[in-house]
Amino acid sequence: MIVLGIESTCDETSCSIVKDGRDILSNVVSSQIDLHAQYGGVVPELSCRRHVDVIIPVLERCLDQAGITLQEIDLIAVAYGPGLIGALLIGVTAAKALSIALNKPFIGVNHVEAHLYAALMSHHEDVEFPCLGVVLSGGHTALVTMKDIGTYALIGETVDDAIGEAFDKVAKQLGLPYPGGPQIESLATKGNPDAFPFKPGKVKGHSLKFSFSGLKTAVLYTLQGQNAKKSLPITLTEQTMCDIAASFQQAALTDVVDKVVRAADLSGSTTVIFGGGVTNNKALRLMMHERAPHLTALWPAFGLSLDNAAMIAGLGYHTFLNKGSGDAMDLNAATRIPFE
Ligand code: KG4
Ligand code: ZN
């Protein structure tokens, strides 16, 4: 089955052709980083305007690279949420329009679940369910038990910032451009992770819930301590920047790995599936490997960690087969979708 995937939940416009849920024939991603970098984060109105501008060229390039025509598509899968409403509407409307024009079914896919599917797509051996799913992205931080593809139960999430958001905000405090995750990771390789005693957040009575806002504020106080007047630009040595990045990253990632190990233990899972942009972080992968050798960790291929339409097409294939039909035209874009 040839599936066209469409992704436009936030700041990437992507179209992909995937055969039978796994075989990626093309995966074209147009990133808006250049557009939002100057504002230090995603500006929703600019995001949806850029999606409008590029969705058709991205679709054309994706068909071209896959060497197929529109008529050869059997199913259109689109990320219908969660995400920014204006951005989502562009992808959902494109999918519906193609579905009507080609007389082919379309199916809505949950973007967060697709991040977990990205790791399954990247591994060709069969995965034994149930397992633990860990979503670490710019918008979500969640622990779920997965009984199968499409059957999830939420067991932990963040009560404030998502982990990627914390990386982005700390980077902004350090004067680094958006997105901050890769910047922090790169500085951290040259820093001392024990230089600053940052502590991961605890949520009283909830051992699987995350909180990153206190950690972000601790970094801010450390920076302001360097310069009492907030309005003045903070001047830090290159080494202090690296030490702050390394100490922040260590605190945040240690917290993630601790909770993943606890959740795997509590849920009796030995396989852990990771998804989301933060899984690009090599220090996280190494820490998980060193701290939890008893767990089998499945990571998305590096090209499938960040937002992309291949994971949407891949999961769309399974959603369509499970459901036995496509979605109706009244399927709406959804800014929030509960995990279940
Ligand atoms: O999954 P994603 O592409 O978008 C969402 O669905 O949110 O994730 C983007 C997030 C950003 O917050 C970015 O800073 C973070 O992933 N990120 C990283 C790294 N690469 C991207 N965070 C830490 N280390 C990285 N290497
Ligand atoms: Zn995402």
Side-chain angles (χ1 to χ4, degrees), residues 9-12 111 115 136-140 163-168 178-185 249 253 275-282 305-307 311:
T9 59
C10 188
D11 58 346
E12 264 92 28
H111 172 93
H115 269 306
L136 303 169
S137 74
H140 296 86
I163 182 163
E165 193 180 354
F167 270 83
D168 294 339
Y178 172 84
Q183 309 276 343
I184 297 272
E185 180 178 16
Q249 177 173 277
L253 299 186
V278 179
T279 67
N280 252 349
N281 190 296
K282 293 193 188 71
S305 311
L306 297 169
D307 290 349
M311 65 183 191

Side-chain angles (χ1 to χ4, degrees), residues 61-330:
R61 227 179 322 139
C62 131
L63 292 170
D64 205 40
Q65 286 183 11
I68 67 149
T69 63
L70 276 176
Q71 283 67 31
E72 288 173 272
I73 293 168
D74 299 307
L75 172 71
I76 299 136
V78 61
Y80 77 103
L84 303 170
I85 189 64
L88 288 166
L89 283 170
I90 311 307
V92 170
T93 307
K96 288 180 181 176
L98 283 165
S99 169
I100 293 169
L102 301 172
N103 196 25
K104 294 287 163 68
F106 90 101
I107 191 114
V109 167
N110 180 331
H111 172 93
V112 179
E113 293 178 14
H115 269 306
L116 292 176
Y117 184 73
L120 296 178
M121 267 182 120
S122 310
H123 292 269
H124 287 272
E125 68 275 21
D126 279 331
V127 173
E128 260 188 49
F129 291 101
C131 47
L132 178 70
V134 183
V135 183
L136 303 169
S137 74
H140 296 86
T141 308
L143 301 169
V144 297
T145 51
M146 281 177 79
K147 269 207 196 134
D148 207 338
I149 296 170
T151 316
Y152 313 87
L154 183 70
I155 57 168
E157 62 185 331
T158 179
V159 297
D160 41 55
D161 295 339
I163 182 163
E165 193 180 354
F167 270 83
D168 294 339
K169 287 179 175 170
V170 166
K172 195 173 178 182
Q173 289 167 2
L174 288 168
L176 301 167
Y178 172 84
Q183 309 276 343
I184 297 272
E185 180 178 16
S186 157
L187 287 187
T189 58
K190 294 171 272 169
N192 172 7
D194 300 318
F196 295 92
F198 298 137
K199 294 265 180 307
K202 282 202 174 75
V203 183
K204 225 176 162 191
H206 297 277
S207 66
L208 298 181
K209 284 196 175 168
F210 296 90
S211 169
F212 293 108
S213 71
L215 180 55
K216 171 193 71 189
T217 309
V219 175
L220 186 66
Y221 287 165
T222 301
L223 290 169
Q224 282 179 2
Q226 309 273 335
N227 188 333
K229 281 204 172 144
K230 275 194 236 171
S231 54
L232 291 179
I234 299 159
T235 36
L236 298 171
T237 64
E238 170 79 18
Q239 191 54 49
T240 308
M241 296 260 287
C242 294
D243 288 346
I244 289 176
S247 303
F248 159 76
Q249 177 173 277
Q250 170 158 282
L253 299 186
T254 303
D255 186 37
V256 168
V257 172
D258 281 351
K259 284 172 184 156
V260 167
V261 171
R262 190 174 305 137
D265 199 28
L266 291 173
S267 64
S269 311
T270 51
T271 299
V272 188
I273 297 178
F274 286 88
V278 179
T279 67
N280 252 349
N281 190 296
K282 293 193 188 71
L284 168 67
R285 295 187 183 211
L286 184 66
M287 194 185 282
M288 189 62 205
H289 179 71
E290 286 174 352
R291 290 272 317 280
H294 59 296
L295 297 173
T296 304
L298 301 185
W299 302 94
F302 283 107
L304 297 180
S305 311
L306 297 169
D307 290 349
N308 69 87
M311 65 183 191
I312 307 298
L315 182 57
Y317 166 81
H318 291 279
T319 312
F320 181 77
L321 292 186
N322 286 345
K323 236 180 142 177
S325 68
D327 279 316
M329 280 295 150
D330 62 359

